[in-house]
């Protein structure tokens, strides 16, 4: 595995891969890797000849009062995990490499960036869309892998790829959870034991709605109310909504198509997000390919 920190080095390494006609899979991350990231890397190594993982805590997607400076980091552990999983290139640039002096261009995403997390994190998805597009241009992958855990991010990246004709296919892999249901997240490391117990209400709420949905309940407001009840131990429920998984439009009333139930809560100062997909016909939509757009 090559550990690369600069763009010129990355260019040389990628040129060699391309000249030997290797397909390239790409997994962008902010590091502090866990089994959720590992699942994306495994999807990539299974489908592509060479996998590139980036570890970059992107400053432009953090608001002024958010956790940029204390975002968890463990580069040695990240390197070991990537090595173990057969990653070809681990790209770990400094902020100045990604945003050199004079940088001033960014991607303004449409209304899908202003709802859900966008309401509470203004400018967040501008930062995400811009850095992901930049990383796509740096790596030029054939396939890029994202987690369903960040459902709004996947909708936005698909939109950006389509709208800007970026030559990459997007694959979305299911959310990896702890045995008790908590969705894996680098930010779980902020949680005290009591906060972690409260955080379990999020997945419990989503699963309660999923169970009721499987039992025939189709009313979006009743499903949301069921989920919110389990999440009541949170300090704040920022949102808990049934949405279209691609447009992110909030849906009310009778559900008769594939939707997502998405939630964001704050517990002990830590913001957590999670979601589940609900499919009326029980079809397996766990792994959604770009073809579904
Ligand atoms: P992050 O490092 O949090 O920016 O996440 C990098 C990628 O890993 C994103 O595509 C996330 O959606 C994905 N990811 C994060 N947590 C999980 C999880 N629990 N299961 C699956 N994918 C995840």
């Amino acid at each position: 595995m090559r550990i690369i920190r600069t763009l010129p080095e990355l260019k040389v390494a990628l040129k060699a891969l391309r000249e030997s006609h290797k397909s390239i899979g790409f997994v962008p991350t902010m590091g502090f890797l866990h089994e959720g990231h590992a699942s994306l890397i495994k999807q990539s190594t299974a489908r592509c000849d060479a996998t590139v993982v980036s570890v970059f805590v992107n400053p432009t997607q953090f608001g002024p009062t958010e956790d940029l400076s204390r975002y968890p980091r463990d580069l040695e552990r990240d390197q070991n995990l990537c090595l173990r999983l057969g990653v070809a290139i681990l790209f770990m640039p400094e902020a100045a490499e990604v945003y050199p002096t004079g940088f001033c261009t960014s991607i303004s995403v449409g209304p899908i960036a202003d709802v859900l997390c966008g309401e509470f994190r203004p400018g967040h998805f501008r930062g995400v869309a811009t850095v992901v597009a930049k990383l796509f241009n740096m790596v030029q992958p054939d396939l890029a892998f994202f987690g369903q855990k960040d459902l709004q991010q996947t909708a936005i990246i698909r939109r950006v790829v389509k709208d800007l004709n970026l030559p990459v296919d997007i694959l979305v892999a299911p959310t990896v959870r702890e045995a008790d249901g908590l969705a894996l997240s680098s930010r779980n490391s902020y949680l005290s034991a009591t906060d972690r117990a409260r955080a379990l209400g999020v997945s419990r709420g989503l699963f309660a709605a999923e169970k009721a949905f499987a039992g025939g309940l189709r009313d979006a407001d009743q499903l949301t109310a069921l989920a919110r009840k389990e999440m009541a131990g949170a300090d704040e429920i920022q949102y808990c909504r049934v949405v279209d998984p691609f447009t992110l439009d909030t849906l009310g009333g009778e559900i008769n198509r594939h939707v997502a139930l998405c939630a964001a809560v704050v517990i002990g100062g830590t913001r957590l997000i999670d979601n589940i997909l609900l499919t009326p016909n029980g079809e397996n939509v766990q792994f959604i390919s770009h073809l579904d757009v």
Side-chain angles (χ1 to χ4, degrees), residues 8-287:
E9 279 177 281
L10 181 68
K11 215 168 173 175
V12 172
L14 289 168
K15 189 162 178 268
L17 288 177
R18 267 188 221 101
E19 280 172 1
S20 49
H21 303 286
K22 299 247 194 273
S23 61
I24 296 173
F26 179 43
V27 182
T29 81
M30 297 210 299
F32 209 67
L33 303 180
H34 51 63
E35 284 305 312
H37 299 109
S39 77
L40 302 184
I41 296 171
K42 287 178 195 161
Q43 291 284 354
S44 177
T45 55
R47 285 159 196 260
C48 302
D49 298 324
T51 291
V52 179
V53 173
S54 62
V55 168
F56 180 60
V57 183
N58 174 37
T60 67
Q61 69 190 66
F62 288 79
T65 59
E66 292 183 350
D67 57 342
L68 172 63
S69 59
R70 66 181 190 114
Y71 194 82
R73 290 166 169 86
D74 189 340
L75 297 183
E76 199 177 321
R77 204 183 67 181
D78 292 350
Q79 287 176 20
N80 290 336
L81 184 125
C82 289
L83 189 64
R84 180 165 60 78
L85 294 179
V87 168
I89 296 175
L90 175 55
F91 181 46
M92 306 166 83
E94 295 292 335
E97 190 75 13
V98 179
Y99 298 110
T101 309
F103 173 87
C104 63
T105 306
S106 59
I107 295 179
S108 157
V109 186
I112 54 171
D114 299 330
V115 296
L116 302 177
C117 289
E119 283 173 39
F120 299 90
R121 304 188 72 188
H124 170 66
F125 289 114
R126 172 186 287 267
V128 170
T130 303
V131 81
V132 170
K134 279 167 71 65
L135 289 165
F136 282 173
N137 283 334
M138 293 171 192
V139 176
Q140 299 183 21
D142 299 285
L143 284 174
F145 297 81
F146 292 84
Q148 185 205 309
K149 157 88 169 31
D150 296 272
L151 183 118
Q152 185 169 17
Q153 173 171 277
T154 66
I156 287 170
I157 299 301
R158 289 171 195 279
R159 198 66 255 171
V160 168
V161 163
K162 201 168 184 176
D163 291 351
L164 300 183
N165 303 90
L166 303 184
V168 57
D169 285 335
I170 303 301
L171 291 182
V172 177
T175 301
V176 177
R177 299 177 181 281
E178 304 274 13
D180 58 10
L182 184 69
L184 293 187
S185 163
S186 305
R187 288 191 170 98
N188 290 351
S189 62
Y190 298 148
L191 298 170
S192 67
T194 45
D195 287 346
R196 192 189 178 287
R198 290 200 288 155
L200 276 179
V202 178
S203 52
R204 212 169 47 235
L206 297 177
F207 295 149
E210 185 179 47
K211 192 166 166 213
F213 187 81
L217 182 65
R218 289 288 180 273
D219 183 78
D221 302 317
Q222 286 180 34
L223 288 164
T224 309
L226 269 178
R228 279 178 178 270
K229 211 166 123 193
E230 297 294 334
M231 296 176 198
D235 299 318
E236 180 190 359
I237 300 176
Q238 291 191 333
Y239 62 78
C240 177
R241 288 180 209 151
V242 172
V243 302
D244 178 293
F246 297 107
T247 65
L248 305 179
D249 290 338
T250 296
L251 306 170
E254 183 88 355
I255 298 170
N256 49 19
R257 62 192 172 104
H258 168 200
V259 299
L261 176 59
C262 300
V265 304
V266 180
I267 292 172
T270 299
R271 191 173 179 280
L272 300 172
I273 58 171
D274 198 353
N275 69 83
I276 46 159
L277 300 175
L278 301 174
T279 50
N281 306 320
E283 65 267 39
N284 183 1
V285 289
Q286 281 288 291
F287 198 93

